[in-house]
Amino acid sequence: MSDPVGYLKVAPGSQPPLNSPGYGSTHKRHPKQAPIRIAPTLTESLAPRMLERDYPSFADMSVHEGRQAQGERIIVGGRVLDENGRPVPHCMVEIWQACSTGRYHHPLDTHDAPMDPNFKGEGRVFTDAEGNYQFVSIKPGAYPWRNHRNAWRPNHIHYSLFGQGFAQRLVTQMYFPGDPLLALDPVFNATPDVAARNRLICTLDMDIGKEEWALGYRFDFVLRGRDATPMENPQ
Amino acid sequence: MSKPSDDRSAAGRGELNRPAQLVATAAQTIGPYWALIEHPEWADLLRADGPNAGYAGGERITLTGQLTDGDGATCPDAVVELWQADPNGEYEAGFHGYGRSRCDAEGRFHFTTVKPGAVKGRGNATQAPHVTLSIFARGLMNHVSTRLYFSGEALNETDPVLAQVPEARRGTLIARPAGSGVWNLDIRLQGEGETVFLEV
Ligand SMILES: [Fe+3]
């Protein structure tokens, strides 16, 4: 059996540095030593198989125990591809977010905004054979945090994706077009490359939305690709 | 010991295999509210109603450790993911090797699982039994990954990944026995005794 192929190098500026001083919590939590780069072995080449049988999907976050959540109903959909342009099928996508008032359904969230009892804020979907995913939710509200003076997070949805290789694991956030808070947000702005940063903003898509029911937004994910050029054995 | 492969591909060799517009999506911190997607039972890979229900092979173990930051303060809001081979050193061949554990009030994670076997390495190499741990937290813009090895394993001496780690820091990857079937590996994100993190 031949050695696993490597992953494509991370494109310069496309990822936020672990040391991002504008985001205060990175100060004591970023490693100061560079990571050691290793050639992928089976461990890094393979990935856990997240099957819907074991991790059931729930694709409609706008309803909780039969009751409608408050706020602007949205449908979010798109594709999961890898950097080689191949769709990532059967990819587990975890979703979490604040309710329409900007409050998380979580005891640690003490923001003084009404909590929507009908919005729990957790979703889970899987891509189909072509890498497409879709879910229904409520547009999340902005919320304050204590990072700097009068700091507010822009509207955002959190995602966690499991790919087909260990290095494809992705946890990220999706933002909404035209949000004036984006220019002020140190988490969003930590990614140096402007194009890479702007790809975290979804686009309004009237084909995804449903007439007289919900606005639609498109958001595509790209996971790390494989390098067809075999990597030298570092030994 | 080898040099990192970065330099060889600095000319962008890898870019040729990727359509120009397709660059991996930027990571963003998992933040403090990831607990909305928490399922505490996932920390027990042998849970009765889980994908490994009824799995009888191997030696049952507990993996634990404390996560601390650059001040030595614990990280109670972090989450650790585990990825491992089965006792035969194979991945996802009858044993689902994924777990997730939140850190508790003391910053400790706890996994219940089976001890992995030696895993085939690159070329003719054999890798010592190991578990991969990925750490996600508020203040981590992207997750960081490391490996947990078991002290006393003869294969640790020849493990090709451990061999790439400077000897003085190798101990940050080696779990110690902490009771019957219990292994402990503390993870330090920053500062003295900083854990060695690995990337591919
Ligand atoms: Fe958030």
Side-chain angles (χ1 to χ4, degrees), chain B residues 27-46:
Chain B
Q28 301 275 270
T29 178
I30 202 165
Y33 301 119
W34 65 269
L36 287 184
I37 56 161
E38 198 207 354
H39 296 272
E41 67 275 15
W42 293 4
D44 179 0
L45 279 74
L46 304 173

Side-chain angles (χ1 to χ4, degrees), chain A residues 96-98 104 143 153 156 158 173, chain B residues 32-33:
Chain A
W96 71 103
Q97 61 165 90
Y104 283 94
Y143 60 82
R153 291 301 322 280
H156 63 279
H158 295 264
Q173 302 179 28
Chain B
Y33 301 119

